[in-house]
Amino acid sequence: MTIDTTANNSALSATTSSDNPKGTLGKDDFMKLLLVQLQYQDPTEPTDTETILTQTSQLASLESADNTNAALEKLTASLGSSQQFSTIAAIGKTADLGSDAIAHDKGTETTFEVYFPNAVEQGTVSITDADGNTVQTLDVGTNPSGVYQFTWDGTDTSGNQAESAIYHVNAQYVDANGDTQQTRLGAYPIESVRFDNGNTLVKVGSNYVPLDNIKEVY
């Protein structure tokens, strides 16, 4: 089989430059090439039927693969949306961020939030260093259950400025029934869910955090 190479290359160039600027061949491009091949075949030695059937079969396989890929892309998008909206069911449950740590800079105040699942009759929030030593305690007061914000002035129990470091925040309190309870920074009720540019954000405390930041929901 003899093909006019100049004409074939010209058709391919037109396909990849104008119709397909990215230079990726699809089923329509292969169909155009097949038609050009038939158009410029040698009349004295035309392409045999078996070759044409083979090429059209390959074209059909390519189209089938394209349709499968398109269907999979739609399925992936659909599953992604379903997974996002299923997060709504977590509203009202507790999200654990997996850490009770805060970063403190010497000479500054540090603000953080702690969730108390039960009403508080009395209690304290303990700020400890990496070795478990108590650096400072804050009074909780008598309050109903909820998320409360605390501000640590950065001093230790001796009134000295605490060094810049990572500290841990835990609380111990007595509830309305007189039972001793414990809680810590990093565990909050999920109040709402927000979808932003394909990202799922959940409101814990006064902040929205990415769903990926949550280690456990219970």
Side-chain angles (χ1 to χ4, degrees), residues 36 60 116 149 154 158 164 168 192:
V36 171
F116 294 86
Q149 187 177 88
S158 300
S164 297
H168 302 274
S192 63

Side-chain angles (χ1 to χ4, degrees), residues 104-110 152-155 160-165 167:
H104 172 69
D105 292 326
K106 186 176 181 179
T108 65
E109 294 182 343
T110 300
W152 174 33
D153 63 6
T155 62
N160 301 316
Q161 289 292 330
E163 296 297 326
S164 297
Y167 295 90

Side-chain angles (χ1 to χ4, degrees), residues 22-103:
K22 293 185 178 180
T24 302
L25 295 178
K27 61 181 184 298
D28 293 336
D29 302 309
F30 280 104
M31 176 60 76
K32 290 179 181 179
L33 291 175
L34 176 60
L35 293 176
V36 171
Q37 176 181 330
L38 294 175
Q39 180 181 357
Y40 290 97
Q41 64 183 327
D42 188 346
T44 61
E45 295 182 13
T47 304
D48 63 84
T49 304
E50 183 177 353
T51 300
I52 295 177
L53 290 176
T54 299
Q55 293 180 344
T56 53
S57 175
Q58 292 173 343
L59 180 62
S61 298
L62 178 61
E63 183 173 9
S64 176
D66 286 345
N67 292 337
T68 300
N69 289 337
L72 288 175
E73 288 176 359
K74 291 180 180 179
L75 178 60
T76 301
S78 176
L79 290 176
S81 298
S82 299
Q83 184 177 15
Q84 278 191 327
F85 285 104
S86 67
T87 311
I88 296 175
I91 294 176
K93 296 185 178 181
T94 300
D96 193 333
L97 301 180
S99 175
D100 62 357
I102 56 173

Side-chain angles (χ1 to χ4, degrees), residues 155-184:
T155 62
D156 59 22
T157 54
S158 300
N160 301 316
Q161 289 292 330
E163 296 297 326
S164 297
I166 299 296
Y167 295 90
H168 302 274
V169 178
N170 292 270
Q172 187 175 51
Y173 64 102
V174 177
D175 64 19
N177 297 321
D179 297 325
T180 299
Q181 305 287 348
Q182 292 184 337
T183 187
R184 64 174 176 80

